[in-house]
DNA sequence: GGAAATGTTTACCG
DNA sequence: CCGGTAAACATTTC
């Protein structure tokens, strides 16, 4: 469950339940769990204390009391889970961490069905891990420069949907929130970005920020004390989706049927009446 | 059996 | 070199 709101939900859960714990053990259990660029194997973080858990866009990392950070990307299906005896064992466990704080001990696992996610051990520079250095700040970062992003987007000739998905211009938006933002801003996904007014792109940015903020809020409530519910199937925000996955359903604004068109390897969902090309 | 699924990186082309 | 597009990665589900 991996766009900004989902990653933020995971980050919050990790920050709440893992901060202050020392990593007593760390082991990779799958040959591809460790990113190739990782400076070391996972056991390099053993003995480190977790100071905080940070995020930029869809990248997240544990800040440790040493010069290395434990970085994670959830890919398409990555999850961090605190297993509990009264819950089913997590499947597809790719890495396992033992955490301790005083007498408290708990386990944290990284699970990933499709193995597009990864972990790595990296240095931070200006507080950001190497693998996320090229990722632009997301709209919730204090350094987010709305006008600069609008200017950058306005110069692109590619379809606006590709542009808002480009993590090097603005990070955090994935296929779901791209479709939702475009629907809210009443913009057809295939319009070249440079044909939109700066004002219209501003509307789109605000829509993206707002829809992700709303999703983060709902994500927070689906949380359960010792278990991070990052299961996409539970769909905490699914009931609020206006466009994504709504092919054939009435547009909540005008009633026209939502359409689905091919977009690269994926799909775009939009209202043919509200979002005119 | 085919298609599609929340993402990123790399290769390739103009 | 830049912008843009397509493919590759792997697994599961419908």
């Amino acid at each position: 469950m991996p766009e900004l709101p989902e990653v933020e939900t995971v980050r919050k859960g990790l920050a709440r339940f893992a901060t202050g714990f020392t990593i007593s053990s760390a082991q990779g259990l799958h040959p591809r769990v460790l990113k190739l660029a990782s400076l070391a194997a996972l056991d390099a973080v053993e003995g480190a204390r977790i100071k905080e858990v940070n995020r930029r866009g869809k990248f997240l990392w544990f800040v440790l009391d040493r010069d290395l950070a434990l970085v994670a990307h959830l890919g398409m299906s990555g999850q961090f889970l605190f297993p509990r005896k009264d819950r089913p064992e997590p499947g597809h466990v790719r890495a396992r961490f033992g955490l301790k704080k005083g007498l408290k001990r708990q386990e944290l696992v990284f699970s990933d069905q499709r193995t597009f996610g990864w972990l790595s051990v990296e240095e931070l520079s200006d507080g950001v891990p190497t693998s996320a250095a090229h990722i632009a700040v997301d709209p919730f970062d204090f350094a987010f420069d709305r006008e600069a992003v609008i200017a950058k987007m306005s110069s692109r000739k590619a379809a606006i949907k590709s542009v808002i998905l480009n993590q090097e211009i603005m990070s955090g938006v994935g296929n779901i929130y791209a479709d939702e933002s475009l629907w809210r801003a009443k913009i057809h996904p295939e319009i070249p970005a440079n044909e939109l007014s700066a004002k219209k792109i501003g509307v789109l940015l605000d829509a993206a920020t707002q829809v992700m903020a709303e999703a983060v809020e709902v994500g927070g409530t689906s949380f359960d004390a010792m278990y991070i519910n990052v299961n996409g199937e539970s769909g905490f925000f699914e009931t609020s989706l206006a466009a994504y996955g709504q092919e054939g359903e009435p547009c909540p604004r005008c009633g026209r049927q939502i359409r689905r068109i091919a977009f690269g390897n994926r799909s775009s969902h939009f209202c043919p009446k509200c979002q005119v090309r």
Side-chain angles (χ1 to χ4, degrees):
Chain A
M1 74 186 266
E3 296 179 42
L4 186 151
E6 293 73 39
V7 179
E8 174 60 12
T9 301
V10 172
R11 189 203 64 77
K12 278 184 181 167
L14 292 172
R16 180 167 170 197
F17 297 114
T19 302
F21 278 79
T22 295
I23 302 172
S24 48
S25 66
Q27 49 188 165
L29 301 169
H30 188 280
R32 273 185 305 276
V33 70
L34 195 71
K35 191 179 170 75
L36 281 171
S38 182
L39 294 176
L42 291 182
D43 60 16
V45 300
E46 285 180 358
R49 193 174 57 84
I50 298 168
K51 289 167 72 177
E52 50 187 310
V53 187
N54 288 345
R55 180 188 59 71
R56 169 180 283 191
K58 305 169 196 171
F59 288 69
L60 85 132
W61 61 92
F62 297 78
V63 179
L64 307 174
D65 61 350
R66 58 177 66 171
D67 284 341
L68 294 170
L70 175 62
V71 189
H73 196 289
L74 303 179
M76 295 281 258
S77 54
Q79 300 176 325
F80 273 109
L81 299 164
F82 292 102
R84 290 200 327 199
K85 287 183 183 126
D86 59 340
R87 297 215 176 253
E89 284 267 319
H92 311 287
V93 173
R94 308 307 189 197
R96 202 175 283 281
F97 300 89
L99 304 180
K100 65 172 184 185
K101 180 162 71 175
L103 295 175
K104 281 190 255 180
R105 281 174 188 277
Q106 62 177 333
E107 191 174 50
L108 172 64
V109 302
F110 179 67
S111 153
D112 188 9
Q113 182 186 98
R114 291 169 68 182
T115 65
F116 286 173
W118 48 259
L119 300 174
S120 77
V121 178
E122 299 174 22
E123 282 182 323
L124 297 181
S125 93
D126 294 328
V128 178
T130 319
S131 59
H134 65 295
I135 299 295
V137 294
D138 61 63
F140 302 104
D141 195 304
F142 75 95
F144 184 74
D145 185 341
R146 186 173 176 277
E147 296 312 309
V149 171
I150 290 173
K152 203 172 248 183
M153 288 188 170
S154 303
S155 72
R156 297 297 186 116
K157 281 182 273 189
I160 184 62
K161 179 161 170 179
S162 308
V163 172
I164 200 170
L165 285 172
N166 187 331
Q167 306 295 302
E168 299 185 30
I169 299 177
M170 170 178 113
S171 66
V173 175
N175 208 30
I176 295 174
Y177 298 102
D179 282 358
E180 293 303 305
S181 312
L182 289 162
W183 178 83
R184 289 193 181 199
K186 301 186 186 176
I187 298 171
H188 189 288
E190 292 176 320
I191 297 177
N194 63 354
E195 289 178 18
L196 292 166
S197 66
K199 189 179 169 186
K200 194 82 180 173
I201 291 178
V203 169
L204 176 61
L205 291 190
D206 296 343
T209 308
Q210 203 185 334
V211 69
M212 290 196 292
E214 288 171 22
V216 166
E217 263 177 52
V218 183
T221 62
S222 80
F223 220 63
D224 152 353
M226 291 301 287
Y227 178 77
I228 298 174
N229 187 355
V230 287
N231 185 350
E233 289 161 284
S234 65
F236 63 88
F237 196 65
E238 256 177 62
T239 52
S240 309
L241 295 176
Y244 184 83
Q246 306 301 307
E247 182 183 20
E249 297 295 317
C251 166
R253 200 162 38 210
C254 76
R256 180 75 69 87
Q257 281 192 356
I258 297 294
R259 280 230 307 150
R260 180 170 76 95
I261 57 173
F263 171 74
N265 304 336
R266 304 210 175 69
S267 304
S268 282
H269 309 77
F270 66 100
C271 170
K273 189 175 175 189
C274 297
Q275 298 165 266
V276 186
R277 206 177 162 159

PDB file of all heavy atoms in Angstrom, chain A residues 58 73 134 174 244 266-267, chain B residues 3-9:
ATOM      1  N   LYS A  58       7.633   8.700  -1.176  1.00  0.00           N
ATOM      2  CA  LYS A  58       7.320   7.313  -0.821  1.00  0.00           C
ATOM      3  C   LYS A  58       8.510   6.598  -0.199  1.00  0.00           C
ATOM      4  O   LYS A  58       8.451   5.396   0.048  1.00  0.00           O
ATOM      5  CB  LYS A  58       6.847   6.562  -2.074  1.00  0.00           C
ATOM      6  CG  LYS A  58       5.677   7.241  -2.787  1.00  0.00           C
ATOM      7  CD  LYS A  58       5.392   6.637  -4.153  1.00  0.00           C
ATOM      8  CE  LYS A  58       4.514   7.559  -4.978  1.00  0.00           C
ATOM      9  NZ  LYS A  58       4.380   7.113  -6.379  1.00  0.00           N
ATOM     10  N   HIS A  73      11.867   1.212   0.892  1.00  0.00           N
ATOM     11  CA  HIS A  73      10.841   1.605  -0.065  1.00  0.00           C
ATOM     12  C   HIS A  73       9.878   0.432  -0.162  1.00  0.00           C
ATOM     13  O   HIS A  73      10.304  -0.708  -0.295  1.00  0.00           O
ATOM     14  CB  HIS A  73      11.439   1.927  -1.442  1.00  0.00           C
ATOM     15  CG  HIS A  73      10.476   2.676  -2.310  1.00  0.00           C
ATOM     16  ND1 HIS A  73       9.357   2.089  -2.850  1.00  0.00           N
ATOM     17  CD2 HIS A  73      10.426   3.970  -2.689  1.00  0.00           C
ATOM     18  CE1 HIS A  73       8.678   2.994  -3.539  1.00  0.00           C
ATOM     19  NE2 HIS A  73       9.300   4.135  -3.456  1.00  0.00           N
ATOM     20  N   HIS A 134      17.636  12.174  -5.265  1.00  0.00           N
ATOM     21  CA  HIS A 134      17.078  12.721  -6.501  1.00  0.00           C
ATOM     22  C   HIS A 134      15.567  12.912  -6.427  1.00  0.00           C
ATOM     23  O   HIS A 134      14.954  13.400  -7.379  1.00  0.00           O
ATOM     24  CB  HIS A 134      17.406  11.791  -7.669  1.00  0.00           C
ATOM     25  CG  HIS A 134      16.741  10.455  -7.552  1.00  0.00           C
ATOM     26  ND1 HIS A 134      17.037   9.571  -6.540  1.00  0.00           N
ATOM     27  CD2 HIS A 134      15.775   9.854  -8.286  1.00  0.00           C
ATOM     28  CE1 HIS A 134      16.280   8.485  -6.682  1.00  0.00           C
ATOM     29  NE2 HIS A 134      15.510   8.640  -7.729  1.00  0.00           N
ATOM     30  N   GLY A 174       1.025   8.791  -6.590  1.00  0.00           N
ATOM     31  CA  GLY A 174       1.058   7.570  -7.396  1.00  0.00           C
ATOM     32  C   GLY A 174      -0.210   7.509  -8.233  1.00  0.00           C
ATOM     33  O   GLY A 174      -0.943   8.500  -8.352  1.00  0.00           O
ATOM     34  N   TYR A 244     -10.550   6.712  -9.244  1.00  0.00           N
ATOM     35  CA  TYR A 244      -9.698   5.535  -9.351  1.00  0.00           C
ATOM     36  C   TYR A 244     -10.476   4.247  -9.089  1.00  0.00           C
ATOM     37  O   TYR A 244     -11.166   4.104  -8.073  1.00  0.00           O
ATOM     38  CB  TYR A 244      -8.520   5.618  -8.365  1.00  0.00           C
ATOM     39  CG  TYR A 244      -7.578   4.459  -8.519  1.00  0.00           C
ATOM     40  CD1 TYR A 244      -6.583   4.472  -9.490  1.00  0.00           C
ATOM     41  CD2 TYR A 244      -7.718   3.329  -7.735  1.00  0.00           C
ATOM     42  CE1 TYR A 244      -5.745   3.392  -9.668  1.00  0.00           C
ATOM     43  CE2 TYR A 244      -6.883   2.246  -7.914  1.00  0.00           C
ATOM     44  CZ  TYR A 244      -5.898   2.280  -8.875  1.00  0.00           C
ATOM     45  OH  TYR A 244      -5.081   1.205  -9.044  1.00  0.00           O
ATOM     46  N   ARG A 266      -0.515   0.831 -17.098  1.00  0.00           N
ATOM     47  CA  ARG A 266      -1.605   0.903 -16.138  1.00  0.00           C
ATOM     48  C   ARG A 266      -2.853   1.544 -16.718  1.00  0.00           C
ATOM     49  O   ARG A 266      -3.088   1.495 -17.890  1.00  0.00           O
ATOM     50  CB  ARG A 266      -1.180   1.701 -14.919  1.00  0.00           C
ATOM     51  CG  ARG A 266       0.038   1.186 -14.268  1.00  0.00           C
ATOM     52  CD  ARG A 266       0.026   1.461 -12.797  1.00  0.00           C
ATOM     53  NE  ARG A 266       1.184   0.837 -12.215  1.00  0.00           N
ATOM     54  CZ  ARG A 266       2.428   1.269 -12.452  1.00  0.00           C
ATOM     55  NH1 ARG A 266       2.620   2.326 -13.194  1.00  0.00           N
ATOM     56  NH2 ARG A 266       3.436   0.633 -11.934  1.00  0.00           N
ATOM     57  N   SER A 267      -3.622   2.166 -15.849  1.00  0.00           N
ATOM     58  CA  SER A 267      -4.897   2.748 -16.250  1.00  0.00           C
ATOM     59  C   SER A 267      -5.042   4.170 -15.723  1.00  0.00           C
ATOM     60  O   SER A 267      -4.470   4.513 -14.697  1.00  0.00           O
ATOM     61  CB  SER A 267      -6.053   1.925 -15.679  1.00  0.00           C
ATOM     62  OG  SER A 267      -5.955   0.582 -16.070  1.00  0.00           O
TER      63      SER A 267
ATOM     64  P    DA B   3      -3.979 -10.349 -22.678  1.00  0.00           P
ATOM     65  OP1  DA B   3      -4.485  -9.566 -23.822  1.00  0.00           O
ATOM     66  OP2  DA B   3      -2.526 -10.602 -22.511  1.00  0.00           O
ATOM     67  O5'  DA B   3      -4.526  -9.667 -21.335  1.00  0.00           O
ATOM     68  C5'  DA B   3      -5.926  -9.711 -21.048  1.00  0.00           C
ATOM     69  C4'  DA B   3      -6.179  -8.884 -19.811  1.00  0.00           C
ATOM     70  O4'  DA B   3      -5.913  -9.680 -18.630  1.00  0.00           O
ATOM     71  C3'  DA B   3      -5.282  -7.653 -19.711  1.00  0.00           C
ATOM     72  O3'  DA B   3      -6.042  -6.569 -19.228  1.00  0.00           O
ATOM     73  C2'  DA B   3      -4.193  -8.070 -18.729  1.00  0.00           C
ATOM     74  C1'  DA B   3      -4.940  -9.047 -17.824  1.00  0.00           C
ATOM     75  N9   DA B   3      -4.099 -10.096 -17.248  1.00  0.00           N
ATOM     76  C8   DA B   3      -3.039 -10.742 -17.834  1.00  0.00           C
ATOM     77  N7   DA B   3      -2.481 -11.650 -17.080  1.00  0.00           N
ATOM     78  C5   DA B   3      -3.223 -11.601 -15.900  1.00  0.00           C
ATOM     79  C6   DA B   3      -3.146 -12.324 -14.705  1.00  0.00           C
ATOM     80  N6   DA B   3      -2.243 -13.273 -14.472  1.00  0.00           N
ATOM     81  N1   DA B   3      -4.035 -12.027 -13.731  1.00  0.00           N
ATOM     82  C2   DA B   3      -4.949 -11.064 -13.972  1.00  0.00           C
ATOM     83  N3   DA B   3      -5.124 -10.317 -15.066  1.00  0.00           N
ATOM     84  C4   DA B   3      -4.213 -10.647 -16.007  1.00  0.00           C
ATOM     85  P    DA B   4      -5.360  -5.115 -19.234  1.00  0.00           P
ATOM     86  OP1  DA B   4      -6.341  -4.204 -19.851  1.00  0.00           O
ATOM     87  OP2  DA B   4      -3.973  -5.184 -19.732  1.00  0.00           O
ATOM     88  O5'  DA B   4      -5.323  -4.824 -17.672  1.00  0.00           O
ATOM     89  C5'  DA B   4      -6.384  -5.250 -16.834  1.00  0.00           C
ATOM     90  C4'  DA B   4      -5.942  -5.189 -15.395  1.00  0.00           C
ATOM     91  O4'  DA B   4      -5.243  -6.398 -15.056  1.00  0.00           O
ATOM     92  C3'  DA B   4      -4.976  -4.032 -15.119  1.00  0.00           C
ATOM     93  O3'  DA B   4      -5.452  -3.240 -14.051  1.00  0.00           O
ATOM     94  C2'  DA B   4      -3.662  -4.705 -14.755  1.00  0.00           C
ATOM     95  C1'  DA B   4      -4.109  -6.079 -14.279  1.00  0.00           C
ATOM     96  N9   DA B   4      -3.097  -7.113 -14.476  1.00  0.00           N
ATOM     97  C8   DA B   4      -2.284  -7.284 -15.566  1.00  0.00           C
ATOM     98  N7   DA B   4      -1.457  -8.289 -15.455  1.00  0.00           N
ATOM     99  C5   DA B   4      -1.745  -8.814 -14.204  1.00  0.00           C
ATOM    100  C6   DA B   4      -1.213  -9.905 -13.485  1.00  0.00           C
ATOM    101  N6   DA B   4      -0.234 -10.674 -13.952  1.00  0.00           N
ATOM    102  N1   DA B   4      -1.725 -10.156 -12.272  1.00  0.00           N
ATOM    103  C2   DA B   4      -2.702  -9.377 -11.803  1.00  0.00           C
ATOM    104  N3   DA B   4      -3.283  -8.319 -12.384  1.00  0.00           N
ATOM    105  C4   DA B   4      -2.756  -8.101 -13.595  1.00  0.00           C
ATOM    106  P    DA B   5      -4.763  -1.820 -13.811  1.00  0.00           P
ATOM    107  OP1  DA B   5      -5.853  -0.845 -13.699  1.00  0.00           O
ATOM    108  OP2  DA B   5      -3.666  -1.606 -14.772  1.00  0.00           O
ATOM    109  O5'  DA B   5      -4.100  -2.020 -12.375  1.00  0.00           O
ATOM    110  C5'  DA B   5      -4.889  -2.436 -11.269  1.00  0.00           C
ATOM    111  C4'  DA B   5      -3.972  -2.882 -10.148  1.00  0.00           C
ATOM    112  O4'  DA B   5      -3.576  -4.238 -10.380  1.00  0.00           O
ATOM    113  C3'  DA B   5      -2.647  -2.117 -10.094  1.00  0.00           C
ATOM    114  O3'  DA B   5      -2.792  -0.913  -9.329  1.00  0.00           O
ATOM    115  C2'  DA B   5      -1.738  -3.112  -9.387  1.00  0.00           C
ATOM    116  C1'  DA B   5      -2.304  -4.463  -9.802  1.00  0.00           C
ATOM    117  N9   DA B   5      -1.477  -5.130 -10.813  1.00  0.00           N
ATOM    118  C8   DA B   5      -1.196  -4.706 -12.078  1.00  0.00           C
ATOM    119  N7   DA B   5      -0.412  -5.525 -12.734  1.00  0.00           N
ATOM    120  C5   DA B   5      -0.157  -6.551 -11.835  1.00  0.00           C
ATOM    121  C6   DA B   5       0.610  -7.726 -11.912  1.00  0.00           C
ATOM    122  N6   DA B   5       1.303  -8.087 -12.992  1.00  0.00           N
ATOM    123  N1   DA B   5       0.644  -8.529 -10.819  1.00  0.00           N
ATOM    124  C2   DA B   5      -0.041  -8.169  -9.726  1.00  0.00           C
ATOM    125  N3   DA B   5      -0.797  -7.085  -9.541  1.00  0.00           N
ATOM    126  C4   DA B   5      -0.808  -6.312 -10.644  1.00  0.00           C
ATOM    127  P    DT B   6      -2.697   0.451 -10.077  1.00  0.00           P
ATOM    128  OP1  DT B   6      -4.066   0.955 -10.135  1.00  0.00           O
ATOM    129  OP2  DT B   6      -1.896   0.306 -11.278  1.00  0.00           O
ATOM    130  O5'  DT B   6      -1.867   1.421  -9.136  1.00  0.00           O
ATOM    131  C5'  DT B   6      -1.901   1.188  -7.839  1.00  0.00           C
ATOM    132  C4'  DT B   6      -1.129   2.191  -7.019  1.00  0.00           C
ATOM    133  O4'  DT B   6      -1.467   1.847  -5.710  1.00  0.00           O
ATOM    134  C3'  DT B   6       0.381   2.047  -7.091  1.00  0.00           C
ATOM    135  O3'  DT B   6       0.943   3.213  -6.475  1.00  0.00           O
ATOM    136  C2'  DT B   6       0.623   0.835  -6.267  1.00  0.00           C
ATOM    137  C1'  DT B   6      -0.437   1.011  -5.167  1.00  0.00           C
ATOM    138  N1   DT B   6      -1.063  -0.273  -4.763  1.00  0.00           N
ATOM    139  C2   DT B   6      -1.878  -0.284  -3.638  1.00  0.00           C
ATOM    140  O2   DT B   6      -2.087   0.710  -2.990  1.00  0.00           O
ATOM    141  N3   DT B   6      -2.397  -1.503  -3.327  1.00  0.00           N
ATOM    142  C4   DT B   6      -2.218  -2.679  -4.005  1.00  0.00           C
ATOM    143  O4   DT B   6      -2.755  -3.699  -3.628  1.00  0.00           O
ATOM    144  C5   DT B   6      -1.384  -2.595  -5.182  1.00  0.00           C
ATOM    145  C7   DT B   6      -1.171  -3.816  -5.999  1.00  0.00           C
ATOM    146  C6   DT B   6      -0.859  -1.413  -5.481  1.00  0.00           C
ATOM    147  P    DG B   7       2.087   3.912  -7.319  1.00  0.00           P
ATOM    148  OP1  DG B   7       2.536   5.085  -6.561  1.00  0.00           O
ATOM    149  OP2  DG B   7       1.603   4.045  -8.712  1.00  0.00           O
ATOM    150  O5'  DG B   7       3.243   2.814  -7.281  1.00  0.00           O
ATOM    151  C5'  DG B   7       3.870   2.495  -6.055  1.00  0.00           C
ATOM    152  C4'  DG B   7       5.379   2.511  -6.235  1.00  0.00           C
ATOM    153  O4'  DG B   7       5.760   1.402  -7.074  1.00  0.00           O
ATOM    154  C3'  DG B   7       5.920   3.774  -6.921  1.00  0.00           C
ATOM    155  O3'  DG B   7       7.109   4.152  -6.246  1.00  0.00           O
ATOM    156  C2'  DG B   7       6.186   3.347  -8.344  1.00  0.00           C
ATOM    157  C1'  DG B   7       6.486   1.862  -8.203  1.00  0.00           C
ATOM    158  N9   DG B   7       6.045   1.065  -9.339  1.00  0.00           N
ATOM    159  C8   DG B   7       4.843   1.150  -9.990  1.00  0.00           C
ATOM    160  N7   DG B   7       4.735   0.300 -10.967  1.00  0.00           N
ATOM    161  C5   DG B   7       5.938  -0.389 -10.964  1.00  0.00           C
ATOM    162  C6   DG B   7       6.402  -1.432 -11.803  1.00  0.00           C
ATOM    163  O6   DG B   7       5.816  -1.968 -12.741  1.00  0.00           O
ATOM    164  N1   DG B   7       7.688  -1.838 -11.453  1.00  0.00           N
ATOM    165  C2   DG B   7       8.422  -1.305 -10.427  1.00  0.00           C
ATOM    166  N2   DG B   7       9.639  -1.818 -10.235  1.00  0.00           N
ATOM    167  N3   DG B   7       8.002  -0.332  -9.636  1.00  0.00           N
ATOM    168  C4   DG B   7       6.754   0.075  -9.962  1.00  0.00           C
ATOM    169  P    DT B   8       7.899   5.489  -6.637  1.00  0.00           P
ATOM    170  OP1  DT B   8       8.342   6.080  -5.380  1.00  0.00           O
ATOM    171  OP2  DT B   8       7.118   6.268  -7.603  1.00  0.00           O
ATOM    172  O5'  DT B   8       9.183   4.899  -7.366  1.00  0.00           O
ATOM    173  C5'  DT B   8      10.011   3.992  -6.630  1.00  0.00           C
ATOM    174  C4'  DT B   8      11.049   3.401  -7.522  1.00  0.00           C
ATOM    175  O4'  DT B   8      10.444   2.591  -8.546  1.00  0.00           O
ATOM    176  C3'  DT B   8      11.935   4.428  -8.247  1.00  0.00           C
ATOM    177  O3'  DT B   8      13.269   4.144  -7.850  1.00  0.00           O
ATOM    178  C2'  DT B   8      11.686   4.173  -9.728  1.00  0.00           C
ATOM    179  C1'  DT B   8      11.140   2.750  -9.750  1.00  0.00           C
ATOM    180  N1   DT B   8      10.176   2.434 -10.825  1.00  0.00           N
ATOM    181  C2   DT B   8      10.404   1.345 -11.633  1.00  0.00           C
ATOM    182  O2   DT B   8      11.387   0.642 -11.516  1.00  0.00           O
ATOM    183  N3   DT B   8       9.448   1.100 -12.577  1.00  0.00           N
ATOM    184  C4   DT B   8       8.293   1.829 -12.793  1.00  0.00           C
ATOM    185  O4   DT B   8       7.497   1.512 -13.670  1.00  0.00           O
ATOM    186  C5   DT B   8       8.102   2.965 -11.920  1.00  0.00           C
ATOM    187  C7   DT B   8       6.879   3.799 -12.079  1.00  0.00           C
ATOM    188  C6   DT B   8       9.038   3.207 -10.981  1.00  0.00           C
ATOM    189  P    DT B   9      14.481   5.041  -8.389  1.00  0.00           P
ATOM    190  OP1  DT B   9      15.449   5.087  -7.292  1.00  0.00           O
ATOM    191  OP2  DT B   9      13.983   6.282  -9.004  1.00  0.00           O
ATOM    192  O5'  DT B   9      15.069   4.112  -9.532  1.00  0.00           O
ATOM    193  C5'  DT B   9      15.334   2.750  -9.237  1.00  0.00           C
ATOM    194  C4'  DT B   9      15.753   2.022 -10.498  1.00  0.00           C
ATOM    195  O4'  DT B   9      14.617   1.807 -11.358  1.00  0.00           O
ATOM    196  C3'  DT B   9      16.791   2.777 -11.341  1.00  0.00           C
ATOM    197  O3'  DT B   9      17.827   1.862 -11.659  1.00  0.00           O
ATOM    198  C2'  DT B   9      16.026   3.228 -12.573  1.00  0.00           C
ATOM    199  C1'  DT B   9      14.942   2.164 -12.682  1.00  0.00           C
ATOM    200  N1   DT B   9      13.680   2.604 -13.327  1.00  0.00           N
ATOM    201  C2   DT B   9      13.094   1.787 -14.268  1.00  0.00           C
ATOM    202  O2   DT B   9      13.583   0.725 -14.620  1.00  0.00           O
ATOM    203  N3   DT B   9      11.915   2.255 -14.785  1.00  0.00           N
ATOM    204  C4   DT B   9      11.267   3.435 -14.474  1.00  0.00           C
ATOM    205  O4   DT B   9      10.207   3.728 -15.005  1.00  0.00           O
ATOM    206  C5   DT B   9      11.944   4.248 -13.484  1.00  0.00           C
ATOM    207  C7   DT B   9      11.324   5.550 -13.074  1.00  0.00           C
ATOM    208  C6   DT B   9      13.098   3.801 -12.960  1.00  0.00           C
TER     209       DT B   9
END
